[in-house]
Amino acid sequence: MKRLEAKQLFTAYWKKITTDVAIMSGKYRYFDRRAPLNRRLSTRLLARIALWSLAVVVIVATVGFYIAYEQEKASQKSLLINQVRFQIEHETDKIRLAVDTAEKLRQAFLTRYQLFSDYSELAAHFDQWYVETEPGVFRLHQDFFEGILVDQTYYQHVNTFVGPGERPIPDELKARIVISQQVLNDLGPAWDGVWANSHFSMPENIISSYSSEFAWGLLAAADLVITDYNVVKSTLQEFNPQRQAIWTGLYYDLSADYWTITYQLPIDFDGRHLANASHDIPLNTLVSGLVRSEHPESQYFVFNEEGQLVASEESLSDNYQDAGILDIHKLTNPIYAEIYQQLAPVFAERAPVVLPNAIEGQLLIAQPLEVADWWHVTLYPYAEIQRAALLTPLQVSFSAIILLLVILFIVYVFVSRYVADPIQRLAKLSELIGAKQYEKVIQSRLLHEDIRSEIGQLIRAFRAMAQRLLENQNNLEGLVEERTKQLEQTNSKLAQANKKLDQIAHLDGLTNLWNRRAFDRDLQLALQQNEPITYALLLGDIDQFKAYNDQYGHLAGDDALRQVAKILTDHCTGTVYRYGGEEIAILIPVTDIHEAEKLARLLCENVASLSLEHIGSPSGVLTISFGVVLLDVTLSDHENLNRVDKLMYQAKRGGGNQACR
């Protein structure tokens, strides 16, 4: 439509111009003959104005572009440095909190430890609460993690691992273990969710931990000796004679199954190393804080002055999980060691460092953290700084375009005054000539001053105008066609993107099955379809799944859901949906109810064949129960769902692991 309107507008305007020229040419016979004599004045005027305009635009744009580009490039560097500094200052508060809370743990432990001179009462508690799970290995009873009331004190999320060591365990050590357990039970809930866990480690191969997610003391391997690893080993008096607090480098906790760093504060009394007050900070917390990317093209990471990696956005290989604390010189990515070598000479100064092109093509920003011997490193591509710096110069160029438009307006004013007005007066003279009033023409000063330049300019202007209009019309048609093709391509890409978004919106993130929204949509379509196809609706529920989650944990429950979802999709030609929680819905074309019931029983057998241990199930493994109906198109979707839901619960009441129709 816009293309058609543009063509009509140009056509009408062109017709008007050609008509006026034709009228003038026919009315005034001497117009064309005198045209060559009248070029000089307007041509020279327009040429001078154009040259001066071009000179001004070029000078202003060039100078302004250079100045603005250099200033903006410096501003971009300063902005990036300030952003990094602000991010570090903000996240340092979290790290300082770890130091402060560890000190509170230490003070609470020492205060309670000094209250006892007779350890028999606490030793008795140890004997009652701890279970020898393997020869020489003791663990705090699981009830203390799940929740138990003992002597008017409620314990929850506390766990302890007493690994191989001196046996029998002295009463004083038993007392320390119970004290660490009590202190964690008192203070740990305040920091639950802030740290991965809070814990006390002891040089006798003992760890007491508070965590609502991981019962580390119940998960640790029976033959684990924590002092064999650098995390706890670094706190021992022989390796840490100055008794300094220790920030470990990044390491993989095999028992808890995550990357983490640990802050450890040694607790000494009368020259004896009693324990370490500690917090674990997982890698994902560090990534979301210290090394989160404000700019996708930048790289952030943290290492300490001993050359140990603390945090990085880079995905770490599984091969590093058994390596202990990560030494940056042993990592496959050489950039860590290269940057460490660049910064090592300035470690003693503990001052921010900015090194242009220390790494080729990169701006390196390194800032020390106050609370630890850590260095926060940012790598930002110079090309991105230059690209960002171009924005302001482009604004300057835009201003130059505006200036050029102003100059063109001045040209318009001059042409109107010195070209258009004389042409109008010349037209009146032409009328006099046509009326044969020659004396008046001769006596007119306008004849001698203006006719030699303006008549020729008029003819040339009309011809040039016509030529420009035709060229513009052709250019406009090509431009409209090009823009139309681009719009069609854009619409095609948008349609593909919308289709992909629609798929994402209808998939369950955990199981990769179709979700409830997709099920509601497909159920409506199945009920409204006009083809003679019979659909069966199967609604299943995993038997005793809440008990499974309580027994094995939600991570195991999530894994079980994924395995059940996979085996159902592998053995069913219909569409499988996650209806909600542990409920699974299936829509499948069938010939009759017997075929649907046979399929449901086969799916029950397939789920049971996974042999997922479930001690709360009568069969000892995880099972599923199905209700089976044929869709009745005369009923609503809710009525069909109510029918199959009742049959599903009938199957569950019948003992589960079966299908009812």
Side-chain angles (χ1 to χ4, degrees):
M1 179 64 71
K2 291 183 178 179
R3 180 179 178 182
L4 180 60
E5 291 175 356
K7 292 175 66 176
Q8 292 174 345
L9 178 62
F10 278 113
T11 301
Y13 191 48
W14 168 247
K15 287 181 178 179
K16 181 179 183 302
I17 292 174
T18 53
T19 301
D20 291 345
V21 172
I23 292 174
M24 292 178 66
S25 299
K27 189 173 183 179
Y28 306 117
R29 295 180 300 168
Y30 302 99
F31 196 88
D32 289 340
R33 187 171 60 185
R34 301 190 181 192
L37 303 175
N38 297 282
R39 296 179 181 176
R40 193 170 304 161
L41 177 61
S42 57
T43 301
R44 292 171 61 186
L45 179 62
L46 290 175
R48 289 178 179 180
I49 293 175
L51 288 174
W52 279 106
S53 300
L54 180 61
V56 171
V57 170
V58 170
I59 293 173
V60 171
T62 302
V63 175
F65 188 93
Y66 176 78
I67 295 174
Y69 175 74
E70 292 299 324
Q71 291 178 345
E72 188 63 20
K73 189 165 64 172
S75 175
Q76 287 292 325
K77 291 181 183 178
S78 177
L79 176 63
L80 182 62
I81 293 171
N82 289 334
Q83 287 177 345
V84 172
R85 182 180 296 114
F86 175 79
Q87 180 177 343
I88 292 175
E89 290 174 355
H90 181 267
E91 296 304 325
T92 299
D93 292 338
K94 296 181 181 179
I95 300 173
R96 189 177 290 110
L97 178 62
V99 175
D100 295 340
T101 53
E103 176 62 26
K104 291 180 181 179
L105 283 175
R106 187 182 76 88
Q107 292 293 342
F109 182 91
L110 283 175
T111 299
R112 191 165 301 190
Y113 181 77
Q114 295 176 57
L115 292 177
F116 295 93
S117 58
D118 181 6
Y119 304 117
S120 58
E121 180 182 351
L122 294 176
H125 286 326
F126 179 90
D127 295 336
Q128 294 173 4
W129 299 347
Y130 284 76
V131 180
E132 186 173 10
T133 56
E134 293 88 10
V137 175
F138 294 83
R139 304 177 196 263
L140 183 61
H141 196 281
Q142 186 173 350
D143 290 344
F144 285 82
F145 181 78
E146 296 177 350
I148 185 174
L149 182 65
V150 178
D151 296 334
Q152 298 183 345
T153 299
Y154 186 74
Y155 291 89
Q156 190 179 28
H157 302 150
V158 181
N159 57 92
T160 302
F161 169 76
V162 182
E166 179 185 356
R167 299 295 180 270
I169 301 175
D171 286 353
E172 185 274 340
L173 181 54
K174 291 181 179 179
R176 270 191 282 148
I177 296 171
V178 173
I179 288 172
S180 68
Q181 166 191 337
Q182 293 173 340
V183 171
L184 288 171
N185 190 65
D186 291 343
L187 300 182
W191 307 316
D192 188 28
V194 179
W195 320 118
N197 63 65
S198 302
H199 60 273
F200 288 102
S201 59
M202 300 181 188
E204 292 86 356
N205 194 27
I206 298 164
I207 287 187
S208 290
S209 173
Y210 182 93
S211 171
S212 61
E213 295 186 17
F214 299 102
W216 195 95
L218 301 174
L219 298 172
D223 58 351
L224 175 65
V225 179
I226 59 175
T227 53
D228 288 346
Y229 296 89
N230 197 45
V231 176
V232 178
K233 185 178 181 180
S234 62
T235 67
L236 301 179
Q237 290 177 327
E238 59 181 302
F239 299 105
N240 185 12
Q242 298 85 5
R243 312 310 292 145
Q244 295 178 344
I246 301 293
W247 281 100
T248 72
L250 190 64
Y251 67 95
Y252 191 79
D253 190 323
L254 294 172
S255 298
D257 193 26
Y258 56 68
W259 289 96
T260 185
I261 64 170
T262 301
Y263 176 74
Q264 302 176 103
L265 179 63
I267 304 174
D268 293 351
F269 184 73
D270 289 340
R272 292 179 56 228
H273 184 192
L274 302 181
N276 303 303
S278 309
H279 294 300
D280 281 353
I281 305 177
L283 177 59
N284 57 2
T285 300
L286 293 170
V287 170
S288 64
L290 279 175
V291 295
R292 71 179 185 273
S293 290
E294 297 290 345
H295 307 279
E297 59 279 351
S298 60
Q299 302 178 55
Y300 299 86
F301 49 90
V302 178
F303 59 81
N304 60 29
E305 294 180 1
E306 287 72 35
Q308 298 169 345
L309 184 64
V310 174
S312 172
E313 289 184 299
E314 180 182 0
S315 298
L316 297 173
S317 169
D318 293 344
N319 297 331
Y320 296 137
Q321 294 182 1
D322 296 324
I325 296 176
L326 295 185
D327 188 328
I328 61 175
H329 298 91
K330 298 179 180 179
L331 299 178
T332 56
N333 189 344
I335 197 170
Y336 295 111
E338 186 176 352
I339 293 175
Y340 181 82
Q341 184 179 3
Q342 293 279 350
L343 296 179
V346 301
F347 282 163
E349 300 176 11
R350 299 290 293 172
V353 177
V354 179
L355 299 176
N357 285 317
I359 305 299
E360 185 176 358
Q362 302 285 333
L363 176 68
L364 189 153
I365 304 171
Q367 300 217 30
L369 276 68
E370 297 178 3
V371 297
D373 64 339
W374 293 357
W375 285 79
H376 182 281
V377 176
T378 302
L379 288 181
Y380 195 84
Y382 251 118
E384 292 299 324
I385 294 177
Q386 294 169 340
R387 185 178 295 111
L390 283 174
L391 293 177
T392 299
L394 288 176
Q395 294 175 350
V396 173
S397 299
F398 178 76
S399 300
I401 294 174
I402 298 298
L403 178 61
L404 180 60
L405 293 177
V406 172
I407 294 174
L408 290 177
F409 176 74
I410 295 173
V411 172
Y412 169 77
V413 172
F414 272 86
V415 170
S416 297
R417 180 175 180 179
Y418 295 105
V419 177
D421 289 347
I423 288 177
Q424 292 177 359
R425 293 195 294 270
L426 185 59
K428 294 181 179 179
L429 289 176
S430 299
E431 293 178 357
L432 293 175
I433 294 174
K436 298 182 180 181
Q437 298 180 7
Y438 302 116
E439 293 181 359
K440 291 183 178 181
V441 174
I442 295 171
Q443 294 174 359
S444 174
R445 296 182 59 189
L446 181 62
L447 179 64
H448 301 286
E449 295 174 357
D450 298 328
I451 193 170
R452 295 183 63 185
S453 58
E454 297 306 330
I455 291 179
Q457 178 69 19
L458 176 64
I459 295 174
R460 187 159 58 90
F462 274 118
R463 291 175 179 173
M465 184 183 301
Q467 184 65 34
R468 286 196 298 271
L469 287 174
L470 289 174
E471 292 175 356
N472 289 339
Q473 180 179 351
N474 293 333
N475 291 339
L476 179 61
E477 290 177 352
L479 183 61
V480 169
E481 183 177 356
E482 179 182 356
R483 292 293 185 268
T484 301
K485 291 180 179 178
Q486 292 178 353
L487 182 60
E488 291 174 353
Q489 294 174 355
T490 301
N491 289 337
S492 176
K493 292 180 180 178
L494 286 175
Q496 294 175 1
N498 287 334
K499 182 178 180 181
K500 185 176 293 185
L501 286 174
D502 183 70
Q503 290 178 348
I504 294 173
H506 289 84
L507 286 177
D508 177 65
L510 175 64
T511 62
N512 207 33
L513 296 177
W514 295 103
N515 61 18
R516 174 66 179 273
R517 181 184 299 173
F519 171 76
D520 292 340
R521 177 199 62 192
D522 294 346
L523 179 58
Q524 287 287 346
L525 293 175
L527 291 173
Q528 297 171 4
Q529 56 92 21
N530 297 322
E531 299 180 7
I533 301 176
T534 302
Y535 279 92
L537 172 60
L538 283 65
L539 184 61
D541 186 86
I542 300 177
D543 300 319
Q544 293 90 30
F545 191 71
K546 183 180 183 302
Y548 185 88
N549 272 334
D550 293 341
Q551 178 66 31
Y552 300 97
H554 288 282
L555 291 178
D558 290 347
D559 184 62
L561 279 174
R562 285 190 286 266
Q563 293 191 52
V564 170
K566 185 177 186 307
I567 200 166
L568 290 179
T569 53
D570 288 345
H571 293 83
C572 179
T573 58
T575 307
V576 184
Y577 310 83
R578 185 180 181 190
Y579 184 74
E582 65 272 19
E583 291 184 316
I584 305 295
I586 300 174
L587 282 173
I588 183 170
V590 295
T591 56
D592 54 33
I593 189 64
H594 299 290
E595 180 184 354
E597 182 182 17
K598 181 179 179 181
L599 171 63
R601 290 177 179 173
L602 179 61
L603 294 178
C604 289
E605 294 173 2
N606 291 331
V607 171
S609 69
L610 289 173
S611 300
L612 297 176
E613 181 185 5
H614 186 2
I615 61 175
S617 172
S619 60
V621 296
L622 196 68
T623 60
I624 190 170
S625 298
F626 279 101
V628 183
V629 298
L630 295 181
L631 284 183
D632 189 342
V633 296
T634 64
L635 300 178
S636 68
D637 53 352
H638 294 293
E639 292 170 332
N640 278 284
L641 283 171
N642 286 336
R643 292 169 56 214
V644 75
D645 187 68
K646 292 177 181 179
L647 291 171
M648 179 191 72
Y649 279 102
Q650 180 180 339
K652 294 181 72 67
R653 287 192 298 270
N657 194 24
Q658 59 180 286
C660 285
R661 64 179 178 86

